[in-house]
Structure formats: structure tokens, C-alpha cells
Amino acid sequence: METVRTVVESFIRLVKAEIDPDAVLVAADDVFEVPNVPSLILQGPTLIENGERRTQARMVEKDVPNLSYEECRYPRLYHLDFDVVVTAAHEGELLDLQEKVARFYQRHPVLAVEDRGSLNLTELTALGGLRRVNLSDLRQSSGRCRIEDCPVYDGAVEVGPLIKDRKFEFRDGVEEDRLYTP
């Protein structure tokens, strides 16, 4: 189960569809070069565990028709933080991109992930709120966004049979047998 990869790919597809079809993902802290302007670069993700939601409990899913179960630990939840860097040739184009990104967060407060539900998408720092070194004559603006509580499973799944029949025998004053079936 590659949840982080699936979530990041869903996010990139959405950004490409809504903001910039040439948007690129760059690993966190990597040096990058902007080939075309205007451009949008997602730098990350940086994983930050949501430790307040960690639990030692276990998850059990029953398959009653097949009389089996699957058990595993609850996943750890991680926030995926991305730096969003937009680059433009002149100020007017940069302002248009900033507005487009701001509108994107308003339209998509939730990221739908194929076959896995949805996760909250939050703007942590608006474009222009982060300082960065710009060594070109192009106009740049950067901000930060977060995909909240992405589950990461440990991969250890225990599979076993469910109890098919239960027979209880009561003694000491009650002489009764009961049979319970699923």
C-alpha cells in the first residue's frame, strides 16, 4: 500500500488540471531550474507526523460471509507539506498566478484520493509569504500548503478465521446449553 505516493500523485494531477499543466514536483531542498515561465513548482513533500492522533489500538475488519478477519495496527498519520513556488516573467503575470493559486485552495479544501477517500488540503502560508533566494531576473513568489493526515500503514496484516459456532454451558443451578451461530 503506497499511500503517500498515491496521495501525492492525486495532488499533482489536480494542480496540473486546475492551475498549470506544466507544474512539476521537485524533492524537498533540491536545487531546481525553471525551464519555462510562467511555471509552478511543488517542492516536497516534507512528512510531519501528527503525533497527537497516534494510537496503539488495532484495526479489525471482519469478512463474515467467508468467516475470516484481517487485523493490523492503525496507521500513523502524516502531514505532507509542500512549498509552492510560482515564477513569472513580469509582475502582472505573477499576480495572476497568485490569484489562481489562492482560488485553487478555495475550490479544493479537500483532496479526493482514488479509492481511498479524501484528505484535507490546507494553505499554510499564502504565496508571497515565504522568503526565498531568487538568482534570476524573473519574478518569483512562494508559499506553503499541507495535505493533512495521510495514513501510512506498517504493512503487517494478520489474517485468520472467525469463530464459526459458540457453545456455552452454564452450570451451578442452571442446566442449559445454548448454541450461537454467526
Side-chain angles (χ1 to χ4, degrees), residues 25 41 69 86:
L25 175 69
I41 295 172
Y69 73 92
V86 294

Side-chain angles (χ1 to χ4, degrees), residues 18-19 33 48 51 68 83 92 104-105 143 150:
E18 296 286 325
I19 302 173
E33 184 177 328
I48 300 167
S68 66
D83 285 350
F104 171 79
Y105 293 126
C150 177

Side-chain angles (χ1 to χ4, degrees), residues 47 50 57 63 68 91 144 148 156:
L47 275 70
N50 187 354
D63 182 6
S68 66
E91 287 81 4
R144 184 166 289 141
E148 297 178 356

Side-chain angles (χ1 to χ4, degrees), residues 47-109:
L47 275 70
I48 300 167
E49 184 183 3
N50 187 354
E52 294 173 358
R53 294 196 56 200
R54 185 190 292 185
T55 180
Q56 296 299 318
R58 299 191 58 84
M59 232 171 41
V60 177
E61 288 193 27
K62 295 185 279 184
D63 182 6
V64 176
N66 294 324
L67 292 171
S68 66
Y69 73 92
E70 289 184 358
E71 181 180 10
C72 65
R73 292 179 189 212
Y74 270 97
R76 289 197 179 172
L77 303 175
Y78 289 88
H79 299 315
L80 309 179
D81 288 358
F82 295 88
D83 285 350
V84 180
V85 182
V86 294
T87 307
H90 53 82
E91 287 81 4
E93 200 173 46
L94 182 63
L95 290 171
D96 290 342
L97 268 172
Q98 285 179 310
E99 183 177 357
K100 210 172 189 182
V101 171
R103 196 175 314 124
F104 171 79
Y105 293 126
Q106 291 176 11
R107 286 186 183 161
H108 302 283

Side-chain angles (χ1 to χ4, degrees), residues 155-174:
V157 178
E158 179 183 316
V159 179
L162 287 176
I163 297 172
K164 185 176 174 185
D165 295 320
R166 296 168 300 260
K167 183 176 180 181
F168 295 90
E169 294 182 12
F170 300 97
R171 302 288 179 239
D172 291 336
V174 177

